[in-house]
Amino acid sequence: MTEIVLGVAGGIASYKAAELLRLFTESGHSVRVVPTESSLHFVGAATWEALSGKPVQVGVFEHVDEVAHVRIGKSADLVVVAPATANLLAKAAHGLADDLLTTTLLTATCPVVLAPAMHTEMWENAATQANVATLRERGYVVLEPDVGRLTGVDTGKGRLPAPAAIFAAALNVLQAREQDLAGRHVVVSAGGTREFLDPVRFLGNRSSGRQGFALAEAAVARGARVTVVAANVTLPPPAGVDLVEVVSTEDLRRQMHAAVVGADAVVMAAAPADFRPAAFVDAKIKKTADGVAPDIRLVENPDILVELVTARGDAGKPAVIVGFAAETGDENGTVLDHARTKLARKGCDLLVVNDVSAGQVFGSDDNEAVLLGADGTETRVPLGSKTALSHSIWDAVVHRLD
Ligand code: CTP
């Protein structure tokens, strides 16, 4: 049975940890809750004892004979702190150990997931950001807070992600072999862009965003800071990422150029529309009495992937750029022939090639692919989940980053 330590720091969001605890226990995990003294102002020890079925200890001077401050951390398979306050992050980053939760963090050898929650100003403060960067460098998985309603009437970044999302992220961390993207910033695009003809009509495509979101989840679990630029994705977003939502290829282009500054790797899993209407008509296009359909002239969109490769120039950042290619074979060549030509034309480091002849990739949970490297490598990834393919892609990225 997996032993999980659920640390609860003193923030108003600590009441949501009760639901997280339930998700862990109901899925068969053994959970020990370690609250901080200040968190007990929000949720009392009785709640944690009743829901976990285990006694709760806060300080290091209770049950000293059991040496709990060392034993709990050493025997855990996973430590999750939700919510992690600015104070808790600061203590963890500096190795302070004045209660059971902070001593547990110092003695834990297992993966650690921190889910910060605080007011936007506290999150954005340079001290907090430096502490988060330090913790990520050391391999802690620090989830980005959600953007939304905070304690009072204010809204902004700093909300604790939904318990179900933290739960999913924690399970992904348990499954990830190691946090080998620790300290890295990766950018993933997902979904399909829309090009509007008029206020109600658009040209779109079948990309669901599932593969992009799976890539983002896997990168979070491997310890990366993750930015997701999502085009029209209706799926629940992965926990712990910076989410930027876009509609058109031009939006995607602008946000990708902004997001990749200083990033280590970028994966273009989105399907940008190759063409857009030459003109946008402000009012809905009406049918005409004579039944003549309008002619719609299309113009080509810029190729974002090629632009990102070109923009990296001498600076060499992002160090690894990955493209996707959905191909079908035809009389001019096989899927891989077309893919090799595309890899050369795009100039990226890796191309993830999907055979879409039967239309099986879109919206499905499974995917199979071939990873073509600019260095001539060719890796077949057998049919499996989009999560499994994501890990194969990150394996190839990590290999190149190292
Ligand atoms: N891509 C991009 N910008 C575009 C079109 C595509 O960045 N305007 C990226 C996609 O995100 C993907 C890769 O390029 O990572 C390949 O996309 P694909 O649609 O297969 O390539 P195209 O250049 O559109 O080639 P084709 O002529 O085969 O449609």
Side-chain angles (χ1 to χ4, degrees):
M1 190 190 278
T2 323
E3 295 289 335
I4 295 177
V5 172
L6 175 59
V8 182
I12 183 69
S14 53
Y15 74 94
K16 294 185 186 169
E19 196 180 331
L20 179 60
L21 169 57
R22 270 307 254 258
L23 291 168
F24 282 132
T25 54
E26 282 174 8
S27 56
H29 299 92
S30 162
V31 188
R32 176 173 290 275
V33 183
V34 183
T36 64
E37 183 71 43
S38 54
S39 80
L40 298 179
H41 290 293
F42 297 102
V43 181
T47 300
W48 304 126
E49 293 190 340
L51 290 177
S52 69
K54 291 195 174 67
V56 157
Q57 191 179 326
V58 174
V60 287
F61 296 110
E62 304 145 47
H63 310 291
V64 178
D65 56 316
E66 293 173 9
V67 205
H69 71 288
V70 177
R71 186 178 46 79
I72 293 175
K74 278 176 74 174
S75 59
D77 298 300
L78 180 71
V79 177
V80 180
V81 183
T85 55
N87 188 47
L88 188 280
L89 295 175
K91 282 181 170 183
H94 293 87
L96 296 185
D98 59 358
D99 62 7
L100 190 57
L101 180 54
T102 46
T103 49
T104 297
L105 285 172
L106 280 188
T107 53
T109 49
C110 62
V112 175
V113 179
L114 303 176
M118 64 197 73
H119 276 91
T120 311
E121 294 76 7
M122 296 177 84
W123 172 252
E124 288 176 349
N125 186 281
T128 305
Q129 286 302 307
N131 291 332
V132 168
T134 300
L135 292 165
R136 283 185 172 142
E137 287 284 342
R138 293 184 190 145
Y140 282 50
V141 174
V142 185
L143 304 180
E144 288 288 314
D146 276 1
V147 176
R149 179 91 189 267
L150 301 173
T151 320
V153 290
D154 43 349
T155 60
K157 187 165 182 176
R159 246 175 97 87
L160 189 72
I166 301 174
F167 174 67
L171 295 192
N172 287 338
V173 171
L174 273 175
Q175 276 161 16
R177 284 187 307 267
E178 54 178 323
Q179 278 60 56
D180 51 5
L181 284 170
R184 305 287 193 183
H185 177 206
V186 305
V187 180
V188 178
S189 69
T193 62
R194 291 179 181 174
E195 303 295 347
F196 275 81
L197 289 157
D198 69 16
V200 294
R201 301 184 180 93
F202 59 82
L203 296 173
N205 63 65
R206 293 172 63 191
S207 177
S208 65
R210 237 176 259 274
Q211 183 63 65
F213 277 12
L215 275 157
E217 278 165 3
V220 168
R222 291 169 80 142
R225 170 159 87 88
V226 181
T227 304
V228 179
V229 184
N232 311 296
V233 183
T234 53
L235 303 165
V241 304
D242 263 324
L243 183 71
V244 182
E245 292 181 293
V246 298
V247 176
S248 68
T249 300
E250 184 51 36
D251 296 339
L252 177 64
R253 176 195 196 203
R254 204 174 40 250
Q255 296 295 350
M256 287 304 290
H257 279 286
V260 302
V261 175
D264 297 290
V266 53
V267 183
M268 275 297 294
D274 286 330
F275 307 100
R276 67 177 186 279
F280 172 75
V281 182
D282 286 333
K284 187 181 170 199
I285 302 168
K286 293 284 189 194
K287 283 185 282 192
T288 54
D290 53 11
V292 177
D295 279 331
I296 294 164
R297 202 169 71 79
L298 299 177
V299 293
E300 197 169 313
N301 271 326
D303 191 312
I304 303 168
L305 182 56
V306 169
E307 284 189 359
L308 295 176
V309 170
T310 310
R312 118 169 116 176
D314 298 335
K317 279 252 181 175
V320 183
I321 300 183
V322 184
F324 267 71
E327 298 291 342
T328 55
D330 58 22
E331 65 284 0
N332 296 319
T334 64
V335 164
L336 283 189
D337 293 337
H338 290 305
R340 264 181 251 283
T341 309
K342 187 168 287 182
L343 176 62
R345 176 161 56 83
K346 302 269 181 178
C348 53
D349 306 296
L350 266 176
L351 195 67
V352 185
V353 186
N354 290 136
D355 181 345
V356 291
S357 312
Q360 67 271 49
V361 172
F362 302 106
S364 104
D365 283 329
D366 290 338
N367 206 346
E368 68 179 317
V370 178
L371 310 187
L372 290 187
D375 50 5
T377 53
E378 187 178 311
T379 313
R380 271 174 199 281
V381 184
L383 185 65
S385 67
K386 287 186 174 176
T387 299
L389 173 58
S390 302
H391 279 296
S392 300
I393 294 168
W394 291 124
D395 286 345
V397 169
V398 167
H399 179 71
R400 282 165 175 79
L401 284 174
D402 289 345

